[in-house]
Amino acid sequence: MLRTCQYSEAAFTPTAALPAPVRDAVNAAFIDALHLALRCGSAALAAAALLVALLLRPQRGVAPSPADGRPAPQPEAAQR
């Protein structure tokens, strides 16, 4: 015969043995830790994006040299 358990599954969770105020404090600390992890992760992602943007921006005052050795063509003056 199959025996059924008279206790609910929630009765065997590790926090079920704790008093209600302690359980609430543990749950609040867990949520706070998740929020902190999200904030740290988003700050790290923003810092990485800023670093990539700074490293990939074009350099000022440096003209790329042509590959075949000829001087780069100069823009013509506007006709009046």
Side-chain angles (χ1 to χ4, degrees):
M1 286 189 106
L2 200 62
R3 292 180 64 188
T4 59
C5 183
Q6 63 182 348
Y7 301 107
S8 68
E9 189 175 315
F12 296 108
T13 60
T15 58
L18 298 174
V22 175
R23 189 174 343 122
D24 292 341
V26 169
N27 287 340
F30 180 76
I31 297 298
D32 289 343
L34 284 177
H35 289 159
L36 180 63
L38 284 172
R39 287 184 185 120
C40 290
S42 63
L45 187 62
L50 181 63
L51 181 64
V52 166
L54 289 175
L55 291 176
L56 292 180
R57 71 177 183 192
Q59 298 293 323
R60 294 185 198 166
V62 178
S65 61
D68 59 1
R70 292 184 289 170
Q74 299 295 325
E76 296 183 15
Q79 299 288 333
R80 289 186 185 201

